[in-house]
Amino acid sequence: MTGASTPLPIERLSMRAKRRARPFAAMLVVAAAGSMLAGCQQGAPSAARTPTPDEVLAEATGYYCGMLLSDHEGPKGQVHLAGRDAPLWFSSVRDTLAFLRLPEEPREITAVYVNDMARAKNWAQPEPGAWVEAHGAWFVLGSDRSGGMGAPEAIPFSREDAARDFAAQRGGRLARLAEIPDDYVLGAVGAGAQERGER
């Protein structure tokens, strides 16, 4: 055997054959890349689509109280969980926020909606479509309006100006979801400063 290397198959091809082979080789590279990408995506979880808010049906019952939502006045809430078609319903926003804070509750939350009192005309039973995603809402704490179970309520608004107007008329202070003290939603009713939404 001599020290000369054996020519590769592509080197043996004529110039004409090489030109014809290039587009085919390019297509193979593209096909292989597409196949590898599809294979990678197959094993990865698909991006879950955020569910839209449901509307309160006559039979909707509160997760904690077990009573019909229609029996309670004021803004309500709904929590959507992965693997569940229907949301969990809450007779008050306070209960909705308590669910988010309690460590023993499910964590596979895909969306949280509360009634948008900037759009609602009816305090007792907010109209269909009056929902806001809780993480984007402005809340009024410590106003003179009570929630569904007669407890202090965290009243949600989609717009800051509407929340400020409400607080000017009914008292209270503004807060974003992460700024609401745990004691306000988890504390006993009648807990003084917590009831007024103070830190």
Side-chain angles (χ1 to χ4, degrees), residues 16-40:
R16 178 183 231 172
K18 287 181 186 177
R19 273 186 252 141
R20 278 192 234 150
R22 283 189 184 128
F24 179 70
M27 285 191 300
L28 280 177
V29 169
V30 169
S35 167
M36 287 177 15
L37 181 61
C40 290

Side-chain angles (χ1 to χ4, degrees), residues 67-147:
M67 299 169 68
L68 293 173
L69 265 63
S70 58
D71 291 344
H72 299 284
E73 293 190 358
K76 321 244 180 329
Q78 56 182 286
V79 173
H80 295 256
L81 300 175
R84 231 184 110 92
D85 291 334
L88 302 178
W89 290 105
F90 297 88
S91 58
S92 69
V93 174
R94 178 184 163 116
D95 283 356
T96 310
L97 303 183
F99 180 89
L100 300 179
R101 306 279 174 97
L102 291 170
E104 64 270 18
E105 296 298 359
R107 296 292 105 201
E108 306 83 29
I109 297 168
T110 57
V112 181
Y113 295 100
V114 288
N115 279 130
D116 178 4
M117 301 314 280
R119 286 191 281 178
K121 305 291 181 237
N122 182 351
W123 170 266
Q125 300 299 327
E127 298 81 6
W131 296 101
V132 60
E133 211 289 324
H135 295 88
W138 291 89
F139 295 88
V140 176
L141 310 180
S143 78
D144 64 359
R145 297 301 298 254
S146 297

